[in-house]
Amino acid sequence: MVEEKRILYEHLDVPDINTFDVFRQYDGYKGFEKAIAEYQPEEIAKMVLDSGLKGRGGAGFSTGEKWSFVPRDIEPRYLCCNADESEPGTFSNRYVLEKNPHLLIEGILICCYAMGIETTYVYIRGEFTLGKKMLDAAIKEAYEQGYLGEDIRGTGLNVNIYTHPGAGAYICGEETGLIESLEGKRGQPRNKPPFPAVEGVFRKPTVVQNVETLCNLPFIVSNGVEWYTQMGPTYADTRFDPPKPDANTGTKLYCISGDVNEPGVYELELGLTCTELIEVAGGLRGEEVKAVIPGGSSAPILTHYELDTRLDFTSLTLAKSMLGSGGIIVMNETRNIVDCLLNIMKFYAHESCGQCTPCRWGTPWVRDIVQRIADGNGRQSTITRPKFGIAENGRWGDTGETEEIYEDLDLLESVANNIANVDTMTWNTICVFGIAVSWPAVSYMRKFRPEFEAAIRESKLVTLPVAEATVPPEENYAYQQRFVPKEFADL
Amino acid sequence: MAFVKLNDLEIEVEDGTNVVEAARQHGIEVPHYCYHPGLSRPANCRMCLVEPHEFFPPAGAIVPARQLATGCTTVLRTAPPERKLDGKYDSIVYTDSPRVKKAREDILEFLLVHHPLDCPVCDQAGECDLQDYSYRHGHDKSRYLEVKNVPPKKDLGPDVLLYSTRCVVCTRCIRFAEEVSGTGELGLINRGSHDEIDIPRSHEGVPLQVLDNKLAGNVVDICPVGALISKDFLFKSRPWFMEKADSVCSGCSVGCNITVEYKADGVYRLKPRFHEDINQHWMCDDGRLGYHYVNSDDRLQLPLKRVDDELSPTHWADAIATITEKLSEVEAEDIVVIGSAQGTNEDNYVLQQFAHDVLKTTQLGLFGQSPGEEHKFPQFTIEADKNPNTAGARTILGSANGNVVLEGDALWEKVSNAKVVYLVSGASERTLEDAEKAALESVDFLIVQDVLPSEVTQVADIVLPGTTFAEKDGTFTNSTGWVQRIRKTIDPPGEARIDWEITQQLAKQLGGEMNYHFAGEIALAIAENVPGYADATHQKIGDAGIKLT
Ligand SMILES: Cc1cc2nc3c(=O)[nH]c(=O)nc-3n(C[C@H](O)[C@H](O)[C@H](O)COP(=O)(O)O)c2cc1C
Ligand code: SF4
Ligand code: SF4
Ligand code: SF4
Ligand code: FES
């Protein structure tokens, strides 16, 4: 039986840990104190790079590497903490804010020290009223105790934190949408490049970091890089010569919801499998696992064939999905995938910022097609199209054969792929919201095509038994791995 | 200069040019909506996708980039020697590859899903980027079966209507109001597929601010589709039924380059034409909507003569005869000839030649519209001088030996002592101040050449029907010394005649030796005789104008 590994959440349940005094009793701010006492800022940045810490907000980009892009000669620089947690199925940041806000402040202080930043904005999801209240109170205490403000603890370090509530838009979680919103504009993502590290808040270099990412920093500093890198798998990416280490270090706050007996946030080492995770969360509620969403609603779905996939950044990327925000939604045999997709597409159609053409008008279109199928109005007509599979050259591609497909399923796939193409991983949109739409749309449809076909054929939603509903991996392009897995070996 | 492979072409472009412009320079269309050369580049329509090469290719290889790029924001620059592609190119870009073509089709399909396709009743049809690009780059049929959004039609301000259903949300209009006029009346409301352009409103929908600034009309021009519509032009004509002529606005001394669109029965609209140093892409609404007087039913169509204290129509022969008789009765020093800042350089040149050579008077004056107010915007200024040719008229009237050009009080003092005054006006709706009126009334015999009845014609003894900027060829000199051409579009109404022709006929009657046949001929004389205007022949001025040195 796998155990929880509580690091960030270790003291979460201690009464009054949200107050400065109790937080101090549990070694609060010791990581920060160690940082300023023993290390130069550059050393901290180096430690973070060496720790292999990857961003927990969704993109999974190496934090240390991101810091290295920030030009140090441009003043001022900003830190922007992304606390706009709105990905469906994700609720780990919220607990930190509501229960242990001083931990976030400590993380912010370490980042500010390492990057020479004096101003931090915490962009909090508007609905997190309690979280904002708790954080504001903690910030006030930290000012009183001299851990924020001018000349912190006599070191000459100045750090100010400002909290800013969002107004309820999912897209303001996208880092540049967040920055626009923070600047008082419409929450619309910017064209990149320039990336925020170079031109962010008020067109100045900005580090944007998720709450959870920042909360890792005190522990990396306190316990050292070696301790940190022991947690989680590190792979060797053999596409590089010499093989490049591909770190999935540390723990992750997995938010497990859906058909499990004990849903909630579980802090676990990276690299556990789906099955293990369901086990940790009290086991499956129901007979069989039908599907698992591994990283928030944007992530491509996993079928029961893929339950031994390890839930870390690399493994999920290899499985053509993503760890994303770590929001894991488990579905049992009673769930209808068409209905699930409809639910998710309603969310995205509502949340598209509307800035760029494909997403603005493509996302509601996808929703409407799924709605039509779910309502029993899917078109029965079929079309013949080239069949993809293992081609003559042994790679995935056009097999030269053709297949019959319901016209509406072809339309659904084509419209979704026109927003962002999941096969070539190219998109014509401004931000990756586009791919967050087409990923679920295409993966659900491809992996659970029998259920979509049944809905069209029978003019109503039909929930098929798991075995019947799922397309086996050998037969479906959607499973195909983007990189051949044996190129990656355990280090 | 960057050396670029653009499709099959090898081209040289200035560093910093974007792909859309570079292609345009070589006759290749990269369709685009949100990009406008006069505005910022949000790259939100995604219509201009092109396929660049990979910027950091594996050694020696030339690989297409994984992602297509927006041509409006992809800027071409000279690459360092080690980064040249194929040993010579600074960049390689395809605007016609299969991937690009597919992407264009896809974007156009998205743009049309909620579009009403009401071209038959849409003012923009015929000059619509959505029509044109769909025709050239789009699908032939729609795959969209769902319900279309029908956002409401909105009245945005005195001259602009918004047909929201046709909007492609390119935000050009918003950016114009923010960046060029700086008035910021426009914004987006709602989100996603419910995005709508709107003005600020209260919760009840009552406008808190309307699109009412003197540059507002430009948003109609830059709207790539039929969403923003000019009330002035709505349902007046199909664009393809109108003739077009390049001209210059006569509304003020800025001298905005314009296109006059007209039919036989009148001028239909004015649109700005790009000039880098003068008006860029814009013009103001005073100029844009100021053409109506040209089409007015009240236009002077026959000469008028005061009989029993009333102006009544007469024929040209009588009018000319009466004038020549009066002129020959008085001494040269009792005559004042007043040119117009509304008239062309050619009009004024013939006028001064008439005064100097035939009447032998050096007493000249300059008349025109009364000054208005200056309006400054972040990227545009409307000047206070409401005449298009003050600078030109002043120089040219004064160009002959000994000519004195009087203006303001000095002029009116001179006029009050004169016996015969020949005043060319052309300033429609010109009112007279007391001093001006008193001076003109004191003249024994006042000849007014004008286009519309006004306070000026009221005090005249004889009125000659002249022409507006839309009815003649010629040149104007703006306040910054640009000499630019205006072109004849419609015929003058009734028996109205081109101003310099009227003057020339008077001259001939009095034995002058003037024999110009067309305005260009006068411009040659100007080039020869007026200092600074040596290059100001119609041929050299062309469409771009020339700047006096
Ligand atoms: C549509 C969209 C929504 C996102 N929402 C969030 C969010 O709610 N919270 C978050 O931390 N990151 C979110 N991200 C990821 C951020 O863009 C960004 O990558 C992250 O904040 C960087 O921090 P990290 O490196 O610490 O993960 C979102 C990204 C996209 C494209
Ligand atoms: S992809 Fe969607 S969310 Fe992102 S900028 Fe475009 S319209 Fe907005
Ligand atoms: S905007 Fe263009 S495409 Fe649309 S109705 Fe008008 S002319 Fe037709
Ligand atoms: S009204 Fe016209 S200019 Fe404005 S956003 Fe819509 S299409 Fe663009
Ligand atoms: S013109 Fe380039 S994205 Fe709109």
Side-chain angles (χ1 to χ4, degrees):
Chain A
M1 179 67 200
V2 182
E3 290 284 311
E4 259 200 274
K5 179 143 187 147
R6 284 195 168 204
I7 293 171
L8 273 58
Y9 271 11
E10 190 181 355
H11 306 305
L12 199 71
D13 299 328
V14 174
D16 297 329
I17 187 78
N18 60 309
T19 61
F20 181 82
D21 292 337
V22 179
F23 184 67
R24 274 302 267 181
Q25 279 168 29
Y26 289 88
D27 292 342
Y29 292 109
K30 290 276 157 63
F32 168 62
E33 279 164 4
K34 185 175 177 203
I36 52 178
E38 296 177 21
Y39 300 105
Q40 291 302 313
E42 300 74 39
E43 290 174 299
I44 303 282
K46 179 83 173 46
M47 280 169 84
V48 172
L49 183 64
D50 293 342
S51 75
L53 175 64
K54 282 183 174 167
R56 305 297 199 231
F61 192 80
S62 157
T63 304
E65 214 173 306
K66 178 147 81 185
W67 291 8
S68 72
F69 300 147
V70 176
R72 296 250 179 183
D73 50 349
I74 302 177
E75 300 277 354
R77 296 179 291 275
Y78 295 103
L79 168 61
C80 212
C81 171
N82 191 342
D84 190 57
E85 187 170 61
S86 349
E87 180 82 10
T90 314
F91 39 87
S92 58
N93 291 179
R94 176 178 179 178
Y95 284 102
V96 175
L97 295 170
E98 290 179 359
K99 298 198 161 190
N100 197 359
H102 279 289
L103 181 62
L104 175 61
I105 299 174
E106 189 178 354
I108 289 173
L109 282 168
I110 294 174
C111 178
C112 288
Y113 174 63
M115 302 304 296
I117 291 170
E118 301 199 339
T119 309
T120 299
Y121 297 101
V122 184
Y123 189 97
I124 306 187
R125 177 171 175 184
E127 290 86 340
F128 287 177
T129 42
L130 178 61
K132 179 162 186 303
K133 201 173 118 198
M134 300 307 263
L135 180 63
D136 282 339
I139 290 173
K140 187 158 172 276
E141 264 187 311
Y143 271 109
E144 283 161 10
Q145 301 289 341
Y147 280 86
L148 284 176
E150 308 287 292
D151 191 18
I152 294 170
R153 313 214 54 79
T155 55
L157 194 66
N158 308 324
V159 176
N160 288 300
I161 302 184
Y162 305 94
T163 53
H164 183 101
Y170 168 66
I171 198 60
C172 292
E174 199 278 346
E175 49 190 3
T176 54
L178 181 150
I179 289 171
E180 289 281 295
S181 166
L182 187 68
E183 289 180 359
K185 303 177 192 146
R186 233 174 117 84
Q188 291 181 332
R190 293 178 182 167
N191 278 283
K192 282 156 281 204
F195 289 92
V198 181
E199 247 183 49
V201 180
F202 308 121
R203 303 276 161 191
K204 295 290 176 194
T206 302
V207 180
V208 183
Q209 222 71 68
N210 175 260
V211 172
E212 188 184 335
T213 316
L214 290 170
C215 288
N216 272 288
L217 301 178
F219 303 101
I220 296 176
V221 174
S222 295
N223 304 330
V225 171
E226 203 153 305
W227 167 85
Y228 192 80
T229 49
Q230 271 164 11
M231 293 182 288
T234 295
Y235 303 102
D237 186 345
T238 52
R239 290 170 305 160
F240 294 89
D241 184 30
K244 200 168 147 190
D246 186 18
N248 288 272
T249 44
T251 60
K252 173 87 191 84
L253 302 172
Y254 292 100
C255 315
I256 312 178
S257 61
D259 296 318
V260 289
N261 286 317
E262 289 164 21
V265 188
Y266 292 85
E267 183 166 8
L268 300 161
E269 257 185 60
L270 277 163
L272 299 183
T273 65
C274 273
T275 319
E276 285 170 318
L277 218 76
I278 295 172
E279 218 46 45
V280 174
L284 181 75
R285 191 178 60 196
E287 302 293 318
E288 266 180 284
V289 178
K290 186 169 190 175
V292 175
I293 299 173
S297 60
S298 318
I301 201 161
L302 302 180
T303 66
H304 73 275
Y305 292 106
E306 297 167 289
L307 294 182
D308 54 355
T309 310
R310 297 174 80 174
L311 296 173
D312 59 45
F313 297 102
T314 308
S315 307
L316 277 168
T317 307
L318 291 173
K320 255 200 162 179
S321 187
M322 66 166 178
L323 182 59
S325 60
I328 289 161
I329 305 174
V330 179
M331 295 180 224
N332 68 16
E333 73 287 349
T334 63
R335 306 294 162 185
N336 186 296
I337 302 297
V338 182
D339 207 21
C340 290
L341 182 60
L342 178 59
N343 183 306
I344 290 178
M345 286 304 129
K346 279 183 177 164
F347 173 78
Y348 285 108
H350 185 257
E351 294 299 336
S352 161
C353 86
Q355 192 185 186
C356 58
T357 306
C359 171
R360 179 192 329 122
W361 282 326
T363 313
W365 189 3
V366 172
R367 174 202 58 199
D368 290 348
I369 296 168
V370 182
Q371 178 81 61
R372 199 151 46 75
I373 296 172
D375 289 349
N377 296 325
R379 280 177 295 171
Q380 301 265 355
S381 50
T382 55
I383 58 152
T384 310
R385 64 171 197 185
K387 183 175 164 68
F388 277 80
I390 298 180
E392 271 179 10
N393 60 5
R395 313 188 89 203
W396 279 85
D398 192 342
T399 55
E401 294 164 39
T402 55
E403 65 178 341
E404 289 251 303
I405 182 168
Y406 282 109
E407 195 173 350
D408 275 336
L409 297 187
D410 184 67
L411 180 66
L412 173 64
E413 188 176 329
S414 151
V415 174
N417 269 335
N418 286 351
I419 303 173
N421 192 310
V422 302
D423 296 325
T424 56
M425 285 301 284
T426 56
W427 46 86
N428 296 335
T429 50
I430 291 178
C431 83
V432 289
F433 183 99
I435 195 98
V437 173
S438 52
W439 245 343
V442 176
S443 73
Y444 291 27
M445 202 283 289
R446 285 187 183 164
K447 289 182 175 178
F448 294 93
R449 199 158 108 191
E451 216 154 83
F452 285 81
E453 290 185 343
I456 294 175
R457 209 168 39 243
E458 314 216 353
S459 295
K460 62 169 195 271
L461 285 181
V462 186
T463 308
L464 300 174
V466 178
E468 268 179 60
T470 322
V471 179
E474 312 74 69
E475 286 178 23
N476 200 309
Y477 190 44
Y479 288 93
Q480 257 313 292
Q481 300 179 342
R482 240 175 298 143
F483 313 119
V484 184
K486 63 174 181 287
E487 286 179 353
F488 283 77
D490 267 310
L491 201 68
Chain B
M1 295 296 257
F3 186 54
V4 178
K5 181 160 189 287
L6 181 74
N7 305 337
D8 306 336
L9 301 177
E10 292 185 336
I11 62 168
E12 282 208 23
V13 295
E14 220 156 287
D15 273 32
T17 315
N18 69 12
V19 174
V20 175
E21 293 297 343
R24 179 152 45 199
Q25 286 164 16
H26 291 85
I28 296 170
E29 173 182 81
V30 176
H32 57 273
Y33 293 109
C34 67
Y35 168 67
H36 185 284
L39 302 172
S40 61
R41 304 173 191 181
N44 62 29
C45 75
R46 319 306 283 177
M47 189 67 240
C48 64
L49 293 164
V50 295
E51 183 168 345
H53 66 89
E54 194 61 77
F55 280 92
F56 297 97
I62 296 172
V63 227
R66 199 172 65 83
Q67 299 266 19
L68 299 181
T70 44
C72 60
T73 51
T74 304
V75 170
L76 303 167
R77 288 186 204 291
T78 316
E82 71 279 6
R83 287 264 314 279
K84 300 269 190 223
L85 294 157
D86 214 1
K88 52 184 172 175
Y89 301 122
D90 294 310
S91 198
I92 297 180
V93 185
Y94 295 96
T95 68
D96 61 356
S97 70
R99 275 170 82 198
V100 171
K101 287 183 176 164
K102 161 100 174 50
R104 282 179 189 164
E105 265 182 34
D106 299 343
I107 300 289
L108 278 165
E109 181 179 38
F110 285 131
L111 283 168
L112 287 177
V113 294
H114 288 290
H115 193 88
L117 294 168
D118 53 351
C119 310
V121 293
C122 176
D123 245 31
Q124 189 89 354
E127 49 182 13
C128 171
D129 288 349
L130 195 55
Q131 272 188 332
D132 294 350
Y133 295 156
S134 294
Y135 183 71
R136 292 201 279 268
H137 309 285
H139 278 313
D140 56 347
K141 45 182 169 292
S142 172
R143 299 189 293 168
Y144 190 72
L145 300 175
E146 327 304 331
V147 179
K148 292 195 181 219
N149 288 347
V150 187
K153 191 162 108 180
K154 294 174 189 169
D155 187 351
L156 298 185
D159 185 46
V160 183
L161 280 176
L162 170 67
Y163 285 73
S164 308
T165 45
R166 298 175 191 149
C167 172
V168 296
V169 204
C170 68
T171 69
R172 277 187 188 180
C173 52
I174 299 179
R175 284 173 283 136
F176 177 86
E178 262 164 26
E179 296 161 18
V180 181
S181 71
T183 45
E185 300 98 337
L186 296 174
L188 274 176
I189 58 163
N190 303 338
R191 186 172 66 193
S193 62
H194 297 286
D195 269 358
E196 275 173 43
I197 301 294
D198 210 345
I199 47 177
R201 288 178 200 271
S202 70
H203 284 294
E204 293 75 38
V206 184
L208 301 174
Q209 193 188 4
V210 291
L211 181 63
D212 185 11
N213 66 67
K214 283 188 181 292
L215 299 181
N218 290 295
V219 298
V220 176
D221 298 335
I222 59 175
C223 180
V225 294
L228 291 173
I229 292 292
S230 157
K231 290 184 195 169
D232 184 56
F233 183 67
L234 181 64
F235 301 142
K236 293 264 169 66
S237 172
R238 282 311 196 180
W240 58 85
F241 289 137
M242 295 183 294
E243 306 280 337
K244 292 180 183 167
D246 288 351
S247 191
V248 172
C249 176
S250 64
C252 82
S253 54
V254 172
C256 290
N257 286 216
I258 59 168
T259 307
V260 181
E261 303 194 13
Y262 62 100
K263 294 197 220 175
D265 62 345
V267 172
Y268 276 70
R269 65 175 172 186
L270 308 185
K271 283 205 162 205
R273 189 161 52 88
F274 178 72
H275 192 294
E276 195 171 350
D277 296 325
I278 299 170
N279 56 317
Q280 290 81 39
H281 306 271
W282 324 116
M283 76 184 292
C284 81
D285 286 4
D286 292 345
R288 182 188 297 271
L289 303 177
Y291 70 88
H292 284 284
Y293 79 98
V294 173
N295 301 340
S296 168
D297 289 341
D298 297 337
R299 281 288 296 277
L300 299 169
Q301 306 200 11
L302 284 171
L304 305 174
K305 186 172 159 186
R306 193 168 292 279
V307 183
D308 301 337
D309 219 29
E310 279 227 8
L311 283 172
S312 46
T314 180
H315 49 84
W316 273 105
D318 177 39
I320 301 275
T322 316
I323 295 169
T324 42
E325 196 189 315
K326 283 284 177 195
L327 283 172
S328 39
E329 278 170 10
V330 290
E331 297 299 316
E333 54 265 32
D334 292 330
I335 304 174
V336 177
V337 173
I338 307 175
S340 173
Q342 288 283 322
T344 60
N345 288 330
E346 290 76 359
D347 291 338
N348 283 299
Y349 187 77
V350 174
L351 193 71
Q352 72 75 27
Q353 213 179 339
F354 172 53
H356 190 269
D357 299 355
V358 183
L359 301 178
K360 310 283 185 216
T361 171
T362 51
Q363 313 292 340
L364 285 95
L366 179 58
F367 190 72
Q369 285 290 14
S370 342
E373 253 175 76
E374 185 186 74
H375 294 274
K376 266 192 186 310
F377 298 92
Q379 293 187 32
F380 198 89
T381 301
I382 305 171
E383 288 178 5
D385 178 359
K386 294 297 155 202
N387 297 296
N389 196 27
T390 307
R394 194 179 279 145
T395 313
I396 282 168
L397 289 171
S399 62
N401 252 351
N403 276 6
V404 206
V405 185
L406 300 168
E407 293 175 49
D409 291 345
L411 172 64
W412 301 119
E413 205 191 310
K414 189 89 214 162
V415 167
S416 21
N417 298 323
K419 294 204 172 111
V420 179
V421 170
Y422 176 22
L423 166 63
V424 182
S425 166
S428 65
E429 291 175 36
R430 172 73 150 91
T431 53
L432 289 176
E433 280 164 34
D434 292 345
E436 296 174 340
K437 192 162 178 185
L440 287 171
E441 276 174 345
S442 73
V443 176
D444 287 349
F445 188 73
L446 174 64
I447 310 154
V448 170
Q449 191 167 308
D450 210 338
V451 293
L452 271 168
S454 70
E455 288 187 9
V456 188
T457 57
Q458 266 169 29
V459 293
D461 295 293
I462 202 150
V463 178
L464 304 175
T467 39
T468 66
F469 73 97
E471 292 141 0
K472 61 190 167 197
D473 289 319
T475 56
F476 285 152
T477 308
N478 81 351
S479 61
T480 52
W482 279 93
V483 188
Q484 310 186 88
R485 287 182 67 176
I486 62 166
R487 289 185 173 78
K488 175 176 187 295
T489 59
I490 53 175
D491 288 330
E495 290 187 22
R497 287 162 65 181
I498 302 207
D499 294 83
W500 63 261
E501 286 182 4
I502 302 173
T503 312
Q504 176 165 280
Q505 180 157 9
L506 289 173
K508 280 183 176 168
Q509 291 296 321
L510 290 169
E513 284 176 22
M514 240 186 269
N515 198 15
Y516 297 115
H517 300 92
F518 53 93
E521 216 177 336
I522 308 169
L524 289 173
I526 296 175
E528 204 168 304
N529 298 320
V530 180
Y533 277 72
D535 285 332
T537 64
H538 285 195
Q539 210 172 4
K540 285 191 188 156
I541 292 169
D543 286 340
I546 59 146
K547 190 159 169 138
L548 297 177
T549 43

